[in-house]
Amino acid sequence: MPGEERPGLIDEAGALRDLSSHVGTIDSKALRPEGLAALRALDPLSLPEVRGNPRLGPCVGNVGKLLAIGLNYSDHAAETGMALPEEPIVFSKATSCISGPNDPVQIPRGSQKADWEVELGVVIGMTAKYISPAQALAHVAGYCVVNDVSERDFQTARSGQWIKGKSHDTFGPLGPWLVTADEVSDPQDLDMWLDVNGTRMQTGSTATMHFSVAEIIAHLSQFMTLHPGDVIATGTPPGVGMGQKPPVFLREGDVMELSVEGLGVQQQTVVQA
């Protein structure tokens, strides 16, 4: 059940192991270098195996900030007809929108333009303030898949900031797992895709990011302190619903499936709130 998740890890054979005797949740304490070192020192085979097919919760617990970057893929900016920004477009998603990777996604009441966005999520593992791009990746605990679900009318036509269209409950699926930074050799060389009802809608690569992961982290650190457990969604490639001709938006019963290379697969069924 949501709120009753237990921490786990995937062993080399793909089995899920229970970490709850060693750590309460995968949050800011566990994600610091010393926390990850303690987890690496464990023998996975000594941990209880989780049987069956349990629900997976968000791969990061107690997220402090959920930040996101808009128009960060050159090919996505082209499909929207908007110019690439001179510096990262930053917005936030309410942390109450975070959900498990396979939990249902709710269409808000009154929504007509619910949309999908597969994104690379970056999980901070060290406090970052006024750092340079050259220092940035050393502050990353790991990476995960994020579906930056969006309501386009709420986002652009309801006045104020994008957060209105980005923060409905279930609009921030994280996971299925966090892959530590040492397992991702180059965050700027990861393929990504998203299907709706079995039809490929998004195909892209982090190689087409306008601002790299390192540049994004460094930029954000000039305006706010980034803390362990903060999550950054780094933008989406082309193929979102509003970019289709004509536009296509999510309806009750639709099924989204999405992945970033090496980070697992999410699947969500759309329901009405």
Side-chain angles (χ1 to χ4, degrees):
M1 292 288 292
E4 299 179 3
E5 297 89 351
R6 304 174 75 175
L9 62 77
I10 306 295
D11 67 21
E12 289 187 357
L16 177 61
R17 301 281 178 170
D18 188 345
L19 275 171
S20 58
S21 61
H22 297 274
V23 63
T25 187
I26 306 300
D27 60 4
S28 59
K29 183 178 180 180
L31 292 166
R32 290 182 169 91
E34 58 272 23
L36 291 178
L39 294 178
R40 287 192 186 96
L42 298 174
D43 176 7
L45 298 182
S46 71
L47 303 171
E49 184 175 350
V50 180
R51 303 289 183 176
N53 187 31
R55 169 189 171 268
L56 296 180
C59 62
V60 182
N62 303 319
V63 174
K65 293 189 286 293
L66 178 53
L67 303 169
I69 308 299
L71 291 178
N72 193 38
Y73 281 69
S74 56
D75 36 11
H76 173 53
E79 78 171 343
T80 66
M82 301 176 71
L84 287 166
E86 294 184 3
E87 62 178 62
I89 296 173
V90 179
F91 61 94
S92 61
K93 293 170 72 80
T95 54
S96 55
C97 82
I98 294 172
S99 58
N102 303 316
D103 290 345
V105 164
Q106 300 175 12
I107 295 179
R109 295 179 183 178
S111 165
Q112 294 297 321
K113 296 182 179 181
D115 205 347
W116 55 83
E117 294 189 18
V118 58
E119 306 204 5
L120 172 66
V122 178
V123 181
I124 299 298
M126 290 174 55
T127 300
K129 181 66 171 175
Y130 294 128
I131 62 171
S132 69
Q135 300 168 312
L137 294 185
H139 292 72
V140 175
Y143 301 91
C144 65
V145 182
V146 179
N147 190 353
D148 176 21
V149 187
S150 309
E151 210 300 334
R152 301 303 188 186
D153 188 59
F154 295 2
Q155 177 184 350
T156 61
R158 296 293 294 273
S159 188
Q161 299 180 347
W162 287 5
I163 191 171
K164 287 183 178 180
K166 297 285 188 173
S167 296
H168 190 267
D169 296 352
T170 73
F171 271 24
L174 302 182
W177 44 72
L178 173 101
V179 176
T180 54
D182 59 304
E183 297 288 338
V184 178
S185 59
D186 183 0
Q188 303 308 145
D189 186 26
L190 301 175
D191 292 334
M192 53 208 308
W193 56 267
L194 181 145
D195 293 349
V196 178
N197 299 328
T199 298
R200 184 61 44 91
M201 305 302 289
Q202 289 188 273
T203 303
S205 169
T206 58
T208 68
M209 278 188 184
H210 183 46
F211 299 103
S212 69
V213 170
E215 290 170 327
I216 290 167
I217 295 169
H219 179 79
L220 290 171
S221 80
Q222 309 308 305
F223 302 98
M224 66 193 80
T225 301
L226 299 175
H227 297 283
D230 288 347
V231 178
I232 306 165
T234 55
T236 198
V240 297
M242 71 173 182
Q244 306 297 315
K245 300 187 186 326
V248 178
F249 297 109
L250 294 168
R251 296 291 181 259
E252 186 174 10
D254 286 345
V255 176
M256 293 178 283
E257 190 169 18
L258 56 147
S259 180
V260 177
E261 182 180 356
L263 305 184
V265 179
Q266 297 185 359
Q267 185 180 83
Q268 300 108 22
T269 299
V270 177
V271 299
Q272 188 66 49

